[in-house]
Amino acid sequence: MEYLLNETTRTVHKQERGARSPQAVCGVTYHLDPDQLQTRAEESAGDINASKCGRCFDAGGGY
């Protein structure tokens, strides 16, 4: 699974499968320019200093 990092809020989101552009499952990234989002592989998602989206992850704390 791939994840999205919102560089502005430093929040990690689950990436929606099949979307034409980077979009989070929760929908909060629809208004962002794709340049503000980084796609990360599951292995490297834990290496960044960011919080998890509370809508995308059960144990998340953001939004």
Side-chain angles (χ1 to χ4, degrees), residues 20-43:
R20 292 184 186 163
S21 61
Q23 293 293 321
V25 171
C26 65
V28 300
T29 60
Y30 74 94
H31 67 285
L32 295 175
D33 186 294
D35 293 338
Q36 292 177 286
L37 301 169
Q38 284 185 14
T39 303
R40 296 289 183 117
E42 186 172 4
E43 309 82 52

Side-chain angles (χ1 to χ4, degrees), residues 2-49:
E2 291 189 330
Y3 297 97
L4 294 175
L5 170 64
N6 180 334
E7 294 181 339
T8 304
T9 62
R10 301 297 300 166
T11 305
V12 176
H13 299 270
K14 287 184 181 179
Q15 184 168 349
E16 185 176 317
R17 290 184 176 198
R20 292 184 186 163
S21 61
Q23 293 293 321
V25 171
C26 65
V28 300
T29 60
Y30 74 94
H31 67 285
L32 295 175
D33 186 294
D35 293 338
Q36 292 177 286
L37 301 169
Q38 284 185 14
T39 303
R40 296 289 183 117
E42 186 172 4
E43 309 82 52
S44 66
D47 296 340
I48 54 176
N49 185 19

